[in-house]
Amino acid sequence: MRKTALALMVLAAAGASWAASRHGAFKAAEEAAWMNIVSQKKGFVDYYFEIGQDGSVIVRDESKDGVTVRRGSIKAMYAKDFFREIKSSDILNAQTGTGSKMVFYKGDQLRISAYINGELRRFQAPLNRFGEAFSYAMTEARKAAEKLPPDENVAGFLSAEPLTGALRDDFMSRVGQDYEFKLVETYDLQKSKHLMAAVKQPHRLIPLESDKDIKAIADFITKHKIYGLRDLFYVKTTRGEFRFRIQYARGK
């Protein structure tokens, strides 16, 4: 009985350590990637997958049936194979960040952020453009991650998307061309580890472990008079302008 209790304590501590380590940003020296997959044929509204070089993973699967979150670790060999194929993928090593788009393409679309030689890069293209070996390695890692039990504890996720191009044009059309962002200084932004992590690594889902974390962001919005709503708001920082979004883990 004592050995069983001790084993459970070790597992709990390991899980807490993993969760805490992933509140902040990955280091540039680490191999890490996070991606969204939109699949019409499988009925996915949105499928998020994150993987680190140590095998730590996050899955957020949002479909018409609801939202499922899985977190934990898979065998390191899956991560090793995945990052080997990232480094050898032609499209991921191209100069541009957007692959060619196929008219009337009905297959999986992939939007991926990954560290390549210490540089964080972003790509978007039909999944079949990334190569068969890459697709296989990613699928195997996803299969392993989907065997993890659902995580019912996390409250939600925060992400930041650079406010550029069509996204910014749409925003300005709603607020007016005379709208001026109030700059949120880095000193103030650093007071929120979740907001800072989201800015450092755009498009990544930063776990919000509790309703208290969500309320802290709401309080930050109110204090700094930030434009937007509780779960969709806009911030100007020294790193640029961003649209922040909170996605609830249980599809609130």
Side-chain angles (χ1 to χ4, degrees):
M1 181 68 72
R2 182 177 297 177
K3 290 183 178 180
T4 301
L6 180 60
L8 289 173
M9 290 175 64
V10 171
L11 286 172
S17 175
W18 174 85
S21 69
R22 289 302 175 237
H23 275 166
F26 284 107
K27 297 178 181 178
E30 292 183 86
E31 291 182 329
W34 48 96
M35 64 212 78
N36 290 84
I37 306 165
V38 178
S39 175
Q40 295 183 35
K41 61 183 179 182
K42 294 184 179 179
F44 292 151
V45 174
D46 201 357
Y47 183 100
Y48 175 86
F49 180 55
E50 175 182 306
I51 183 169
Q53 65 182 19
D54 59 354
S56 59
V57 293
I58 294 178
V59 173
R60 184 183 186 276
D61 183 1
E62 179 181 340
S63 69
K64 61 183 179 180
D65 298 322
V67 178
T68 302
V69 174
R70 303 178 194 276
R71 294 191 296 175
S73 295
I74 60 176
K75 291 182 179 179
M77 67 176 186
Y78 292 117
K80 182 179 179 180
D81 291 346
F82 178 83
F83 288 110
R84 182 185 66 242
E85 296 306 328
I86 276 186
K87 293 175 182 177
S88 61
S89 172
D90 291 337
I91 193 169
L92 288 172
N93 286 282
Q95 294 299 314
T96 59
T98 303
S100 59
K101 297 181 180 179
M102 300 173 65
V103 179
F104 305 122
Y105 178 73
K106 299 298 183 182
D108 292 356
Q109 291 278 345
L110 179 64
R111 298 188 293 271
I112 180 171
S113 298
Y115 279 109
I116 298 177
N117 298 322
E119 178 186 359
L120 181 59
R121 306 187 68 182
R122 179 77 173 174
F123 302 86
Q124 177 177 343
L127 181 57
N128 63 2
R129 299 286 297 177
F130 288 83
E132 184 177 345
F134 172 84
S135 296
Y136 177 80
M138 184 186 70
T139 298
E140 290 301 299
R142 283 173 54 191
K143 284 181 179 178
E146 287 170 359
K147 292 179 181 178
L148 295 170
D151 186 331
E152 303 290 346
N153 296 318
V154 64
F157 296 93
L158 175 71
S159 61
E161 182 177 0
L163 194 61
T164 59
L167 187 65
R168 192 178 196 281
D169 291 341
D170 177 68
F171 173 73
M172 296 306 296
S173 70
R174 287 185 284 111
V175 299
Q177 295 299 320
D178 295 332
Y179 178 80
E180 292 186 9
F181 272 105
K182 178 184 176 183
L183 177 68
V184 177
E185 298 290 350
T186 301
Y187 171 78
D188 292 315
L189 199 63
Q190 287 176 335
K191 294 178 181 178
S192 171
K193 61 184 179 182
H194 300 103
L195 288 167
M196 196 67 204
V199 167
K200 285 183 176 180
Q201 295 179 336
H203 306 286
R204 182 180 169 222
L205 296 191
I206 307 300
L208 301 172
E209 299 296 338
S210 66
D211 291 337
K212 183 179 179 181
D213 288 337
I214 294 176
K215 184 179 184 302
I217 292 175
D219 291 343
F220 187 93
I221 293 171
T222 301
K223 179 179 179 180
H224 294 278
K225 299 179 180 179
I226 292 171
Y227 180 89
L229 305 172
R230 175 173 173 167
D231 52 8
L232 186 66
F233 53 97
Y234 301 80
V235 179
K236 180 178 181 179
T237 75
T238 55
R239 291 174 176 258
E241 299 167 351
F242 294 89
R243 182 181 74 172
F244 286 84
R245 181 185 179 194
I246 291 179
Q247 293 172 274
Y248 298 102
R250 292 173 286 278
K252 292 182 181 179

